[in-house]
């Protein structure tokens, strides 16, 4: 799983270097744009510093889960809010408005240009592929959006593996789990594969070949 799992599961604080904030000449800026993080306070401090210097701040969120904690300081859980929040779609907007009823700033539906571009592609599996990597995201457990989206990580994985008949040679299929996922939850889907399977001793992930 790598080091991220310990940070997610045990809620470990991972501070970044804050000295960059003191190096900013705020008079040179009218707006700062940040992402968000659940394991350090850099963005939350950035919004505060920007407001102290009469600079507008905006954060961009391209997720549907754990949204409220992105605005809480790690240790105190006190809120820090930007002036504008860009969300990916109407689902995340609804979730965030319910989670942050006291937010007085502005919401923007910014979408996710890269995902939108991918959705327009005609995706085909290279018949000569020798490796396929599937990186899972816990859509079902964390987002609870299966009814709205019509899919989750398991159905996407199933759809991909159903195309394996197109492959012309031995292929390794690697399943990389999200830090919060348990490999046991995937057992039934792994067993549905008709290819020989083995489990990585180092990561605990499953691979088919």
């Amino acid at each position: 799983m790598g080091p991220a799992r310990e940070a997610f599961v045990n809620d470990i604080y991972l501070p970044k270097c804050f000295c960059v904030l003191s190096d900013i000449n705020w008079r040179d800026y009218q707006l700062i744009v940040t992402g968000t993080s659940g394991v350090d306070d850099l963005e939350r401090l950035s919004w505060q510093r920007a407001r102290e210097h009469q600079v507008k701040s905006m954060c961009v969120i391209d997720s549907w889960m754990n949204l409220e904690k992105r605005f809480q300081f790690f240790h105190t859980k006190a809120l820090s809010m930007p002036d504008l929040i860009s969300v990916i779609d109407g689902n995340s907007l609804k979730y965030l408005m319910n989670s942050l009823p006291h937010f007085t700033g502005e919401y923007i539906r910014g979408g996710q240009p890269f995902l939108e571009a991918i959705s327009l592609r005609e995706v085909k599996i290279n018949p000569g592929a020798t490796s396929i990597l599937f990186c899972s995201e816990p859509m079902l457990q964390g987002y609870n959006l299966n009814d709205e989206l019509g899919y989750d990580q398991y159905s996407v994985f199933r759809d991909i593996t159903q195309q394996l008949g197109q492959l012309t040679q031995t292929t390794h299929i690697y399943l990389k789990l999200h830090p919060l996922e348990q490999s046991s939850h995937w057992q039934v889907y792994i067993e549905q594969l008709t290819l020989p399977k083995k489990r990585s001793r180092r990561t605990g992930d499953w691979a088919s070949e």
Side-chain angles (χ1 to χ4, degrees):
M1 294 294 185
R5 176 170 177 76
E6 183 180 1
F8 272 93
V9 173
N10 298 315
D11 213 19
I12 296 175
Y13 184 61
L14 298 175
K16 298 176 183 175
C17 180
F18 295 151
C19 62
V20 65
L21 297 180
S22 62
D23 296 335
I24 294 177
N25 185 351
W26 292 96
R27 291 176 295 181
D28 294 339
Y29 298 92
Q30 296 178 325
L31 172 71
I32 65 166
V33 181
T34 74
T36 59
S37 174
V39 294
D40 78 88
D41 291 330
L42 177 58
E43 293 88 355
R44 294 178 274 276
L45 286 173
S46 298
W47 306 331
Q48 283 192 347
R49 298 292 185 273
R51 184 168 290 108
E52 293 170 2
H53 292 85
Q54 290 77 53
V55 174
K56 292 285 187 179
S57 61
M58 172 182 174
C59 79
V60 179
I61 299 177
D62 61 351
S63 178
W64 294 271
M65 68 181 295
N66 297 326
L67 299 186
E68 64 274 16
K69 72 180 297 185
R70 300 167 187 266
F71 303 93
Q72 297 174 342
F73 280 102
F74 188 86
H75 292 297
T76 67
K77 306 306 178 185
L79 289 176
S80 175
M81 306 299 299
D83 298 298
L84 301 95
I85 300 176
S86 174
V87 296
I88 194 170
D89 59 15
N91 288 313
S92 57
L93 174 61
K94 179 180 178 181
Y95 181 92
L96 198 54
M97 291 180 68
N98 291 333
S99 302
L100 301 172
H102 303 299
F103 175 60
T104 58
E106 182 179 352
Y107 287 108
I108 301 172
R109 263 195 263 194
Q112 220 291 358
F114 183 69
L115 292 181
E116 291 167 6
I118 291 177
S119 70
L120 299 177
R121 299 177 185 174
E122 183 180 359
V123 180
K124 295 182 179 179
I125 295 179
N126 179 359
T130 58
S131 296
I132 296 176
L133 172 63
F134 182 85
C135 298
S136 177
E137 183 75 11
M139 302 291 292
L140 181 61
Q141 294 87 348
Y143 295 58
N144 197 26
L145 290 176
N146 184 274
D147 291 338
E148 291 87 346
L149 298 177
Y151 61 87
D152 55 40
Q153 69 271 35
Y154 305 117
S155 63
V156 173
F157 181 76
R158 183 182 62 247
D159 290 344
I160 292 175
T161 56
Q162 287 177 348
Q163 304 303 314
L164 296 179
Q166 303 176 27
L167 304 181
T168 59
Q169 55 187 307
T170 300
T171 301
H172 295 264
I173 304 175
Y174 298 95
L175 173 59
K176 179 65 178 73
L177 305 186
H178 185 276
L180 292 180
E181 287 189 290
Q182 300 293 329
S183 58
S184 58
H185 295 167
W186 278 89
Q187 184 67 40
V188 62
Y189 302 94
I190 298 299
E191 291 176 348
Q192 291 173 359
L193 291 176
T194 58
L195 302 176
K197 295 166 285 290
K198 63 181 180 180
R199 190 174 185 179
S200 168
R201 293 182 180 178
R202 183 176 61 86
T203 65
D205 296 341
W206 291 90
S208 292
E209 60 180 2

